[in-house]
Amino acid sequence: MHALRNLAGNGKANAFGVWISRRLSYVLGIETSCDDTGIAIVDTTGRVRANVLESQQEFHTRYGGIIPPRAQDLHRARIESAYQRCLAEAQLKPEQLTAIAVTTRPGLPLSLLVGVRFARHLARRLQKPLLPVHHMEAHALQARMEHPQQIGFPFLCLLASGGHCQLVVVNGPGRLTLLGQTLDDAPGEAFDKIGRRLRLHILPEYRLWNGGRAIEHAAQLASDPLAYEFPLPLAQQRNCNFSFAGIKNNSFRAIRARERAERTPPDGVISNYGDFCAGLLRAVSRHLMHRTQRAIEYCLQPQMRLFGDTPPTLVMSGGVANNDAIYANIAHLAAQYGCRSFRPSKRYCSDNGVMIAWHGVEQLLQDKEASLRFDYDRIDIQGSAGFAESHEEAVTAAALKCKWIQPLG
Ligand code: KG4
Ligand code: ZN
């Protein structure tokens, strides 16, 4: 069924004798970089054996945002029971695990610490290799778990989440090349702040939803989807960077103007919030499309030959990839260039333990950085972290002018 089954099935001992054999190997993944405690077990064929996810959304919604020390307390209180539930769900004993993968970077340092300390302790006790995982890399590789044959290295990836927005060429675990990134806010962050300012959370159906999900749903209620227009960010900059702060500030201004005009009470929502959300989604889609289009054209330049003669495969991942309207536009753009496009299943677009475990599987199969694996104390957290290589300057120097593909609908 999976290409990786063959890879694993041949039996291969790496530098530290971790035997990836005909017998299945199981990797435990631990994710605590932000406000979700995710623990999962994935085997070397890409089958998910257990997936436990404890969200802190309900708590943080009450306070209007994540309070890092409180997020840390909640991770601490939940991590052991999440681990026990994960083992029970997989029907495995701890000794049967092959390796332990954990998010070490980037993320909220207090949250990362809980996962890394737990993973270190576990790895030492079980004498298993400990695999450090870059959170954004894990988002980027996740779609390969479900489409191993279709998504080979290298591929182009748009990462859009609550903390990041990046375009990268993915050559393998630890081998990502940055083409562009956000200069200010991330799109998910903008959605969350705008959703909060709109006060969507006071509508019962959106009470426990993140801003992006609520805005996506509200946009479907629009009766005049063209009522709001937003200026296009970075229109003069011919690179692959992003900016969402302008869209956010324009949103705040438009909401305030509407509230004044219709005298919205302090605990109310503007009457045409659906129209507003449709305009916002269109603006974000267009910006993501433009920068991704330039990235595709950059990769396709004859002198680059990043992907040989074939059009690059395009993957979108991160929490914002849950958005059907945005993803449909990205897939539409890709199709115009003959590129195939993929995103992970929705349950794996947002933060979860499966993507961390899967990154661990990819590391085991590629035998990367093996020397770190039993040196538990060398594995530590990093609040911010980039990628191995950057083509940002080359992208800017190329200054490619594109004939824009129009969004759908
Ligand atoms: O990847 P993720 O779970 O966490 C980070 O690594 O940041 O992404 C979370 C972000 C949130 O900001 C949320 O607003 C956004 O993903 N998001 C969405 C949708 N679902 C989640 N944005 C747009 N549309 C959605 N359906
Ligand atoms: Zn994430």
Side-chain angles (χ1 to χ4, degrees), residues 31 33-34 135-136 139 160-164 318-319 349-352 355:
E31 157 62 31
S33 68
C34 191
H135 179 87
M136 297 313 292
H139 274 305
S161 71
H164 295 83
C349 282
S350 304
D351 293 353
N352 63 81
M355 68 186 206

Side-chain angles (χ1 to χ4, degrees), residues 70-361:
R70 198 64 190 107
Q72 182 182 47
D73 289 345
L74 289 168
H75 282 307
R76 272 206 197 114
R78 294 168 168 183
I79 197 162
E80 173 68 36
S81 69
Y83 166 64
Q84 294 300 343
R85 273 199 290 139
C86 189
L87 285 176
E89 199 178 307
Q91 299 185 313
L92 288 172
K93 294 194 182 63
E95 303 74 44
Q96 289 175 276
L97 298 171
T98 309
I100 291 149
V102 62
T103 309
T104 56
R105 64 201 191 283
L108 298 174
L110 289 178
S111 292
L112 286 169
L113 259 180
V114 179
V116 169
R117 284 190 178 147
F118 187 81
R120 254 199 235 127
H121 169 75
L122 207 59
R124 191 171 274 128
R125 185 156 58 82
L126 300 170
Q127 280 302 296
K128 304 284 180 186
L130 182 58
L131 311 171
V133 174
H134 186 299
H135 179 87
M136 297 313 292
E137 262 191 50
H139 274 305
L141 293 178
Q142 177 56 35
R144 269 171 53 82
M145 188 185 90
E146 296 166 282
H147 307 280
Q149 263 139 1
Q150 293 96 328
I151 310 174
F153 297 126
F155 62 91
L156 181 63
C157 185
L158 169 62
L159 292 165
S161 71
H164 295 83
C165 195
Q166 295 160 324
L167 276 159
V168 285
V169 175
V170 185
N171 295 294
R175 296 174 53 221
L176 278 74
T177 304
L178 183 68
L179 302 183
Q181 60 186 327
T182 184
L183 304 175
D184 40 56
D185 294 351
E189 176 186 5
F191 284 141
D192 292 339
K193 288 179 177 161
I194 296 166
R196 191 93 204 156
R197 177 62 189 82
L198 260 181
R199 294 193 278 271
L200 290 180
H201 57 279
I202 67 173
L203 302 174
E205 62 270 43
Y206 300 142
R207 196 175 71 83
L208 290 180
W209 288 15
N210 60 61
R213 186 174 174 206
I215 287 166
E216 176 174 24
H217 187 272
Q220 290 161 12
L221 309 175
S223 55
D224 181 5
L226 302 179
Y228 288 87
E229 268 300 332
F230 295 85
L232 193 65
L234 306 183
Q236 306 307 318
Q237 291 190 27
R238 288 200 198 146
N239 54 32
C240 292
N241 290 333
F242 302 86
S243 168
F244 296 93
I247 292 179
K248 181 186 70 183
N249 292 332
N250 279 311
S251 295
F252 290 171
R253 266 198 294 279
I255 296 166
R256 197 181 321 117
R258 182 76 187 185
E259 285 175 344
R260 283 205 184 125
E262 60 181 25
R263 304 213 171 150
T264 314
D267 58 351
V269 182
I270 57 171
S271 58
N272 64 347
Y273 66 90
D275 297 344
F276 173 85
C277 290
L280 173 62
L281 265 191
R282 198 170 53 252
V284 171
S285 289
R286 213 152 64 103
H287 184 42
L288 290 171
M289 279 177 85
H290 282 193
R291 315 317 274 188
T292 307
Q293 184 174 346
R294 184 170 286 114
I296 294 174
E297 294 212 358
Y298 175 79
C299 295
L300 286 176
Q301 293 175 103
Q303 72 275 25
M304 293 304 304
R305 295 189 56 81
L306 284 175
F307 300 92
D309 293 327
T310 50
T313 297
L314 179 65
V315 171
M316 181 175 181
S317 196
V320 178
N322 279 300
N323 192 294
D324 290 332
I326 292 178
Y327 179 70
N329 273 313
I330 294 297
H332 166 66
L333 163 69
Q336 307 310 303
Y337 286 86
C339 305
R340 299 222 285 164
S341 52
F342 297 90
R343 64 173 163 172
S345 300
K346 287 199 179 182
R347 61 188 179 283
Y348 304 136
C349 282
S350 304
D351 293 353
N352 63 81
V354 170
M355 68 186 206
I356 307 307
W358 173 251
H359 192 286
V361 170

